[in-house]
Amino acid sequence: MRPDHTSKTALLTLLLAVAASADPRLTVDVAQPGAAINPAMYGIFFEDINFGADGGLYAELVKNRSFEFDQPLQGWRIVRKPGAEGRVLVLRDENRPRNPRFVRIRIDKPGEGFVLSNDGFRGMGIRDGAGYRFCIEARRVQGDISTLRIELTGQNDQLLAAARIEGFSPDWRSHSCEMKSGGTDAKARLNVWFEGTGQLDIDMVSLFPKDTWKGRENGLRADLVRLLADLKPGFLRFPGGCIVEGFDLSQRYQWKNTIGAINERVSNINRWNFEFKHRLTPDYFQTYGLGYYEFFLLAEDIQAEPMPIINCGMACQFNTGELVPMDQLAPYIQDALDLIEFANGSAADSRWGQIRARMGHPEPFHMKMIGIGNEQWGPQYIERYKEFAKSIKAKYPDMQLIAATGSDGAIFPNGTAEIEYLWSEWRILKPEFVDEHYYRDPEWFLENAKRFDSYDRKGPRLFIGEYASQSAGAGSPNNHSLWKGALYEAAFMTGMERNADLVRMSCYAPLFGHEEAWQWKPNLLWFDNLDAYGTANYYVQKLFSLNSGSRSLAVKVEGLIVPNDSGKVFYASATLDEKTGEVVIKAVNAAGDKLKVIIDLQRAGRIGRMAKVILLTAALTDENSLLEPKKVYPQERSIPIGGRRFAYEFQPFSLTVLRVPVK
Ligand code: AHR
């Protein structure tokens, strides 16, 4: 063996020995807390996509209850039993422009029964022992259809519940009855039997479970709201998303059409009805039973800041991109001003505050921020934004404005990234928040964990208003909510948290997906007509939200030698929870091996004896499902720690939250 080779080998052996003895180190400077973490840092993004509202969060079980879908009888079946003769006519009352259609039932011969039957939203989820409330508006036109027999039947036509309604007058009146189910079925139907002969007009045919969130009539699905509330979200962004913009301006989201009595809310086609040719959903409409008032109420219930996003005179730029001419923008701006008054105005002497009070909420909703446009871009957006900002700030100087940066990855015709052009404007116009969206492959999230470290601190603060890793491609129907994507999002989130002075709010998107009626994947939560579950990504969001702490702490990661690039293995952030007196460390081990790390809580004073560990780990390809809703699920335990410097072994492919009591 030649001498120089011997010395090289010796040196290598020495280096390896040093490396082995010097475990990687995570240093947290506890004595110098940095920026206050926004209590609203981790929020939720609600959009009526994937049956998120009608057929989802909104607990109405009847589809097309007011016959306002493009096809007035979509969702309904007319069943004539032997010997029955009669017709169903669709009529239009021009005196009720907000809800013009109704149906006339004409029965000439009752035979063995004349039935109008509703499909529900891919069936109706009916539970054994649960109560249901049926409601209908009706008027007698002629003859004597004296009784309605209301039935809920299961997939095999078995009777689950029944009730009767009697006595109709020549005036429109609302009638209701309650019933209790004797069985469970995810695909039940509602059958309305008309008894007698003659003509009866009907409208607003509705069926709700009695067990809605907080037991409210016209309420929300309690299990879904519970999953949202469990996230303790800092804010609720609503109503979207592209739905704000509409395919064209006539289909945009107009909040004034979504409030007041539910029979006066103006239905609208849902843009996701026809957006994706591979996932056409012809029965997707918006009844707005879950409208702006209910959004504000929901935000209040789950103690989230309300964050409405309003149309800024631009339709979706992926669709028509229709623009309101600048000299016709005033009504759009007025809508925004009126919305602020609806949320915050005095119940005694403001017009919209009075409307809110009449709906049942005299107290203001304390709305503090508003988004102007969703994924808008181009100079046309800037022009319109300026007008909105001028009017809103003139009347409500404290209202915080959120401005968009277009769609993720959009490029101008001249080759400039939209986001760069828009940022150059936002640095001048200074909205309080600039909203960035990322729908990228999982690796992008790992690689961008340091993205915010170098952002300009002099400009507006950041709102990461939509993001989700895409296992197959942006919005691809082949996407899955695998642990890999969730883990890499967690790594990215440590980057947001380390930059909490800049990144003030964030939310995963979209929120909900109906197992049978989705258009977009992935989503944070999935449900069918009876059950729901959170994805792995949901638990990542939850761990960050529940362990956000109140001040950020500087972290330093040193000495990671395997596999050669510390930036791709271990990601960490730390905060101080001033309420509980704990240092909260969040760490992602993105490698498939255990990783022993020395945790050094510098300048920490006295340390508690036990730390709490919350661990989320799984195989990279694991995902939750209705059958295995807790395959990826956090585990909690307490561990003893020896002092302010201690070793901790991070599990392979894991997100770990460590809560260490400090003085
Ligand atoms: O989250 C789904 C869609 O993605 C949103 O509607 C839109 O804002 C984005 O392009």
Side-chain angles (χ1 to χ4, degrees):
M1 203 179 273
R2 284 179 299 161
D4 63 332
H5 190 207
T6 312
S7 58
K8 262 190 198 160
T9 310
L11 182 65
L12 190 63
T13 313
L14 181 70
L15 279 176
L16 283 175
V18 170
S21 67
D23 285 319
R25 181 175 296 261
L26 169 67
T27 308
V28 181
D29 185 356
V30 180
Q32 255 192 344
I37 310 278
N38 183 1
M41 173 85 172
Y42 302 108
I44 48 181
F45 164 100
F46 180 86
E47 173 164 18
D48 189 3
I49 183 172
N50 306 316
F51 274 28
D54 287 345
L57 189 57
Y58 184 48
E60 172 65 86
L61 294 167
V62 174
K63 186 167 73 185
N64 193 11
R65 66 184 172 194
S66 61
F67 311 104
E68 300 296 332
F69 283 19
D70 285 0
Q71 296 175 47
L73 290 177
Q74 194 171 31
W76 293 96
R77 289 183 212 174
I78 303 161
V79 185
R80 292 177 187 84
K81 298 287 181 190
E85 282 179 24
R87 279 171 171 268
V88 173
L89 304 174
V90 176
L91 281 90
R92 185 178 180 88
D93 183 348
E94 296 296 355
N95 297 319
R96 306 189 316 178
R98 295 174 75 84
N99 175 15
R101 288 207 198 114
F102 61 95
V103 153
R104 178 159 295 170
I105 307 291
R106 200 186 87 192
I107 299 180
D108 303 321
K109 286 193 189 152
E112 289 175 32
F114 190 96
V115 187
L116 204 55
S117 175
N118 191 270
D119 298 341
F121 298 89
R122 309 293 188 274
M124 295 178 182
I126 300 293
R127 270 181 211 287
D128 191 16
Y132 294 86
R133 184 162 189 271
F134 172 85
C135 247
I136 191 167
E137 289 179 9
R139 71 174 170 193
R140 197 179 65 231
V141 182
Q142 199 199 17
D144 188 25
I145 297 180
S146 55
T147 303
L148 302 190
R149 185 149 53 88
I150 316 301
E151 275 181 6
L152 300 180
T153 52
Q155 292 172 64
N156 304 318
D157 288 336
Q158 74 278 25
L159 186 65
L160 300 172
R164 292 171 82 80
I165 289 179
E166 286 170 356
F168 301 105
S169 65
D171 305 319
W172 279 111
R173 266 185 46 206
S174 183
H175 303 262
S176 64
C177 61
E178 290 186 3
M179 52 199 150
K180 193 169 169 182
S181 173
T184 295
D185 203 305
K187 299 243 174 229
R189 310 183 54 79
L190 165 74
N191 303 315
V192 183
W193 295 68
F194 296 86
E195 295 184 355
T197 52
Q199 295 182 29
L200 188 77
D201 289 344
I202 59 166
D203 200 359
M204 296 300 293
V205 188
S206 165
L207 180 76
F208 269 89
K210 293 205 65 186
D211 176 27
T212 56
W213 172 251
K214 290 192 179 268
R216 291 195 184 110
E217 282 185 17
N218 192 50
L220 306 182
R221 236 177 94 163
D223 60 333
L224 297 186
V225 181
R226 172 49 47 214
L227 282 163
L228 300 185
D230 286 350
L231 285 171
K232 292 203 189 317
F235 62 87
L236 171 66
R237 173 181 171 151
F238 61 89
C242 293
I243 209 158
V244 169
E245 307 158 34
F247 178 82
D248 61 22
L249 283 169
S250 73
Q251 292 173 7
R252 73 189 189 277
Y253 202 104
Q254 300 187 55
W255 75 269
K256 288 175 183 166
N257 286 344
T258 76
I259 60 161
I262 57 164
N263 61 1
E264 298 216 340
R265 301 188 186 184
V266 186
S267 295
N268 193 4
I269 192 164
N270 188 305
R271 73 179 304 287
W272 298 106
N273 178 313
F274 51 86
E275 177 70 12
F276 294 136
K277 298 293 165 272
H278 57 274
R279 291 296 296 181
L280 288 174
T281 318
D283 56 342
Y284 203 1
F285 288 77
Q286 301 174 84
T287 63
Y288 297 123
L290 165 53
Y292 256 65
Y293 177 78
E294 290 77 18
F295 280 127
F296 279 117
L297 213 54
L298 172 63
E300 183 175 81
D301 287 348
I302 60 177
Q303 290 164 34
E305 298 284 348
M307 182 199 284
I309 309 290
I310 44 154
N311 186 293
C312 64
M314 301 175 80
C316 182
Q317 289 167 274
F318 289 112
N319 301 142
T320 61
E322 230 177 35
L323 294 169
V324 161
M326 290 303 289
D327 61 359
Q328 293 171 29
L329 194 58
Y332 288 71
I333 296 177
Q334 193 57 48
D335 272 357
L337 297 173
D338 292 343
L339 174 63
I340 300 171
E341 189 175 293
F342 177 71
N344 295 349
S346 150
D349 53 22
S350 78
R351 175 177 171 220
W352 290 99
Q354 280 169 5
I355 293 175
R356 181 194 69 238
R358 278 205 295 278
M359 289 187 73
H361 204 284
E363 290 304 313
F365 283 117
H366 305 292
M367 162 185 164
K368 299 188 188 103
M369 49 193 162
I370 187 166
I372 301 175
N374 175 45
E375 282 183 345
Q376 314 322 143
W377 64 78
Q380 299 80 4
Y381 176 39
I382 299 294
E383 255 185 312
R384 284 162 183 75
Y385 172 88
K386 281 182 185 163
E387 293 304 309
F388 273 81
K390 194 168 73 191
S391 302
I392 294 174
K393 286 289 185 182
K395 194 158 182 199
Y396 301 104
D398 294 335
M399 187 56 58
Q400 301 177 341
L401 304 185
I402 301 169
T405 50
S407 175
D408 185 20
I411 305 288
F412 248 165
N414 72 4
T416 322
E418 280 291 348
I419 190 167
E420 281 168 27
Y421 160 70
L422 290 164
W423 262 109
S424 69
E425 293 288 340
W426 301 140
R427 281 188 201 100
I428 300 164
L429 295 170
K430 297 194 182 1
E432 276 77 8
F433 300 105
V434 170
D435 178 5
E436 291 194 0
H437 295 178
Y438 319 118
Y439 292 102
R440 302 291 182 110
D441 59 65
E443 283 70 21
W444 183 92
F445 286 88
L446 272 193
E447 283 153 16
N448 279 270
K450 292 191 172 159
R451 179 183 179 90
F452 306 112
D453 297 3
S454 53
Y455 263 58
D456 176 12
R457 259 48 192 184
K458 289 189 225 90
R461 306 292 90 177
L462 265 178
F463 166 39
I464 312 305
E466 293 185 32
Y467 70 97
S469 62
Q470 315 281 304
S471 66
S476 161
N478 301 320
N479 280 329
H480 282 272
S481 302
L482 308 178
W483 172 234
K484 176 179 170 181
L487 181 69
Y488 291 8
E489 285 160 14
F492 181 73
M493 291 172 81
T494 63
M496 291 193 213
E497 202 166 84
R498 283 189 297 96
N499 290 279
D501 61 318
L502 175 80
V503 182
R504 302 300 287 163
M505 294 183 290
S506 63
C507 48
Y508 182 101
L511 188 60
F512 283 124
H514 187 297
E515 288 275 320
E516 291 177 48
W518 55 270
Q519 295 78 44
W520 179 288
K521 278 181 168 184
N523 303 295
L524 196 61
L525 294 153
W526 286 90
F527 60 90
D528 65 8
N529 289 341
L530 289 174
D531 297 311
Y533 71 92
T535 57
N537 317 64
Y538 170 87
Y539 291 106
V540 166
Q541 293 291 320
K542 188 169 169 183
L543 290 200
F544 273 79
S545 178
L546 267 54
N547 296 286
S548 65
S550 52
R551 302 279 295 273
S552 68
L553 294 172
V555 292
K556 198 159 75 184
V557 178
E558 293 164 299
L560 281 175
I561 56 160
V562 203
N564 295 328
D565 180 356
S566 61
K568 292 211 173 128
V569 175
F570 191 68
Y571 303 78
S573 58
T575 60
L576 183 65
D577 188 330
E578 290 160 306
K579 246 197 229 145
T580 60
E582 290 169 295
V583 169
V584 185
I585 295 171
K586 300 183 192 76
V588 166
N589 177 11
D593 299 309
K594 285 183 183 169
L595 191 63
K596 186 172 159 203
V597 176
I598 304 298
I599 296 178
D600 189 354
L601 303 181
Q602 282 186 347
R603 303 197 287 165
R606 271 210 351 257
I607 299 278
R609 280 189 314 110
M610 303 293 284
K612 191 206 264 186
V613 179
I614 310 160
L615 173 67
L616 197 50
T617 183
L620 290 182
T621 49
D622 281 351
E623 65 181 317
N624 290 343
S625 63
L626 278 173
L627 288 177
E628 287 184 290
K630 293 188 174 172
K631 192 162 186 175
V632 188
Y633 193 73
Q635 309 292 332
E636 254 187 66
R637 69 195 166 108
S638 289
I639 54 160
I641 44 170
R644 69 174 184 79
R645 197 173 300 124
F646 60 96
Y648 186 81
E649 196 168 58
F650 290 94
Q651 294 299 304
F653 303 132
S654 63
L655 164 63
T656 305
V657 179
L658 277 169
R659 299 191 66 110
V660 185
V662 291
K663 270 272 180 312

